[in-house]
Every structure is written in C-alpha cells, then in structure tokens.
C-alpha cells in the first residue's frame, strides 16, 4: 500500500482451515481500490488494484466494505486460489 492510499477495511477470514488477512484500501486521488490477501504465516501475499466499477472484484470490494460476510469470504477464496495456483 502506498502512502497516498488509505486503509478502508480489513478482516481475518478462514478458508480451508487457514486464516487469511484481507485488506481493502482506496486511493482517492487516482480513484482506484486495492485488495490484498495475505497468509499471516510466511510472506505469501497476493493482490490487485481496480479502477473499473464493472469488474466483479469491484462489486465484492464494495460489498465487503458494506459489511457483507460472504463478500469477505469470496475475496479470501480469490486470494487463496491465486496463492495456490499450480506451477506448470
């Protein structure tokens, strides 16, 4: 997260018996959102920045910020899949 980004919300979410830290930040000047998913043990992390409101992740981010538990779980699962992609 850069200095000009502001943390909007964060939550610990369990996926497949593993706890992940999910954080959502916003850069108001450049108008983008960032979601980061981190496994608290080790240095495993993944994330992305979004600037388009037609993206499904954008919908999940907005829903999570509004307090929807299922959106937090979906973001954690998205991060879990990205962290555990098979290496071909």
């Amino acid at each position: 997260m850069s200095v000009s980004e502001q943390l909007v919300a964060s939550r610990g979410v369990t996926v497949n018996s593993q706890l992940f830290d999910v954080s959502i930040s916003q850069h108001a000047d450049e108008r983008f959102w960032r979601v980061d998913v981190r496994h608290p043990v080790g240095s495993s992390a993944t994330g992305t920045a979004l600037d388009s409101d037609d993206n499904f992740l954008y919908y999940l981010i907005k829903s999570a910020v509004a307090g929807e538990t299922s959106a937090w779980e979906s973001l954690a699962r998205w991060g879990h899949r990205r962290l555990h992609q098979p290496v071909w």
Side-chain angles (χ1 to χ4, degrees), residues 1-9 23-35 50 58 61-62 65:
M1 185 167 69
S2 74
V3 174
S4 43
E5 286 182 55
Q6 181 179 20
L7 180 64
V8 176
S23 62
I24 299 170
S25 59
Q26 183 180 31
H27 191 301
D29 295 337
E30 295 183 27
R31 298 186 181 150
F32 70 81
W33 291 82
R34 182 182 314 277
V35 60
L50 304 164
Y58 179 82
I61 288 170
K62 296 296 275 185
V65 169

Side-chain angles (χ1 to χ4, degrees), residues 4-88:
S4 43
E5 286 182 55
Q6 181 179 20
L7 180 64
V8 176
S10 65
R11 184 178 288 188
V13 181
T14 302
V15 175
N16 296 337
S17 302
Q18 297 179 50
L19 180 66
F20 290 88
D21 295 323
V22 181
S23 62
I24 299 170
S25 59
Q26 183 180 31
H27 191 301
D29 295 337
E30 295 183 27
R31 298 186 181 150
F32 70 81
W33 291 82
R34 182 182 314 277
V35 60
D36 290 307
V37 179
R38 180 174 307 277
H39 192 285
V41 178
S43 60
S44 298
T46 189
T48 191
L50 304 164
D51 63 359
S52 174
D53 61 3
D54 62 352
N55 188 305
F56 186 68
L57 281 177
Y58 179 82
Y59 169 78
L60 288 177
I61 288 170
K62 296 296 275 185
S63 297
V65 169
E68 292 184 29
T69 301
S70 62
W72 284 103
E73 291 170 354
S74 293
L75 289 171
R77 289 184 187 285
W78 168 81
H80 178 265
R81 281 191 305 275
R82 286 183 54 136
L83 287 169
H84 295 94
Q85 290 179 347
V87 177
W88 302 101

